[in-house]
Amino acid sequence: MEASSVTENSSTGNDHEQEPVLNHGGTESNPETNREEEELDGEQVRRVLQVSAATGKFWHNWDKLKSMLSFQLKLVLSEYPEAKMTVEQQNASLGETYLELVTRLNEELHSFIEGPPFTLQRLCEILLDARSIYPKLLKLALALEKNLLVTSTLTVCTEPYPEMMPNLEPEKATEEAPLQSNSVQNGVESMVGDRDEIMTEVEADIEEMTIDVDAFQEMVGPSEANSTAAENS
């Protein structure tokens, strides 16, 4: 399967001139790849990527998953305002045109033949919530490139597929991030509260000790006076 994929990519990868990239093996000009992406359902893609984002593993055929990642990549990039800018504005903002950026990132993704990059989990996290993580397209592009310019790859997972995870885990994950942050903040606040309570208790203990000492002195004073009077007599 992989051998045929490499052969197919090599036979269709010369449709237009390309700059050499790491482990180059396919481009977005591949008609078969484009056809697969057109047939994909956006919600299905999100569910599959959500599983990988939650587990760091993948169960699908790599070529199929690659098409899903490419589909989501193009969708996410198209949501940024730079996609609708003029070429001059795009060059000023990105240092290249929007089309050049999309093509370059997509080619870097398709350069992986044997399997997805070992950064698959982070890659899926970014593609699922790109606008929240990176409000600026340039920063998003740099983050994606960083996670695509690696050489190590993952192998397909043989464990049972987590059927219930797609609909639940990712939303929970995005909500858990601030919750964890809040828990830390709440932890600090509770520590401050505890510290205040402890200080109050300590101050109360000190006051009680002061009262006890005063009472003790009042009690000891007369007894010492009586002892001194007894000795003098």
Side-chain angles (χ1 to χ4, degrees):
M1 179 65 185
E2 293 176 351
S4 61
S5 174
V6 173
T7 303
E8 181 182 5
N9 287 338
S10 62
S11 62
T12 59
N14 294 325
D15 291 348
H16 63 276
E17 293 184 0
Q18 312 155 18
E19 294 181 0
V21 294
L22 188 64
N23 294 335
H24 194 279
T27 71
E28 66 173 345
S29 64
N30 190 329
E32 185 65 28
T33 300
N34 290 337
R35 191 179 307 114
E36 290 179 0
E37 292 179 15
E38 290 174 357
E39 295 173 355
L40 291 174
D41 174 72
E43 188 58 34
Q44 176 194 10
V45 170
R46 286 190 64 85
R47 286 198 299 268
V48 172
L49 298 190
Q50 284 168 352
V51 174
S52 293
T55 64
K57 303 174 183 178
F58 78 102
W59 284 259
H60 294 75
N61 172 274
W62 169 227
D63 286 337
K64 181 70 173 179
L65 179 57
K66 190 191 302 183
S67 296
M68 294 183 182
L69 289 168
S70 179
F71 173 89
Q72 186 69 13
L73 172 68
K74 295 173 183 177
L75 177 63
V76 165
L77 294 177
S78 68
E79 294 174 350
Y80 283 80
E82 285 83 351
K84 300 176 179 62
M85 290 181 178
T86 64
V87 172
E88 291 75 13
Q89 291 173 327
Q90 291 171 358
N91 277 315
S93 177
L94 304 172
E96 59 187 329
T97 67
Y98 169 78
L99 181 59
E100 289 171 342
L101 173 64
V102 175
T103 302
R104 179 168 58 81
L105 292 175
N106 197 48
E107 287 181 348
E108 289 172 359
L109 171 63
H110 280 82
S111 70
F112 291 90
I113 304 302
E114 302 298 328
F118 78 93
T119 53
L120 175 66
Q121 183 172 27
R122 182 55 182 164
L123 193 60
C124 290
E125 291 174 350
I126 294 174
L127 292 177
L128 288 169
D129 198 21
R131 293 299 298 270
S132 298
I133 304 174
Y134 299 103
K136 300 294 185 180
L137 178 56
L138 183 58
K139 290 187 177 181
L140 169 64
L142 292 174
L144 291 172
E145 188 172 34
K146 177 181 178 182
N147 284 277
L148 288 171
L149 292 180
V150 296
T151 56
S152 300
T153 59
L154 298 176
T155 56
V156 65
C157 183
T158 58
E159 299 173 2
Y161 187 75
E163 295 291 345
M164 299 303 295
M165 193 173 294
N167 293 328
L168 301 177
E169 288 300 324
E171 294 181 359
K172 187 184 298 182
T174 56
E175 293 175 358
E176 283 177 355
L179 286 177
Q180 291 175 353
S181 176
N182 290 338
S183 66
V184 174
Q185 295 175 359
N186 292 337
V188 173
E189 291 174 0
S190 63
M191 289 175 62
V192 173
D194 293 342
R195 188 183 299 114
D196 292 340
E197 293 177 3
I198 292 172
M199 291 302 296
T200 302
E201 293 176 0
V202 170
E203 291 173 356
D205 291 341
I206 292 174
E207 291 178 358
E208 292 178 1
M209 291 173 61
T210 303
I211 295 172
D212 293 341
V213 170
D214 293 340
F216 176 75
Q217 289 176 345
E218 291 177 359
M219 294 174 61
V220 171
S223 64
E224 289 180 349
N226 293 336
S227 175
T228 303
E231 291 177 359
N232 291 337
S233 63

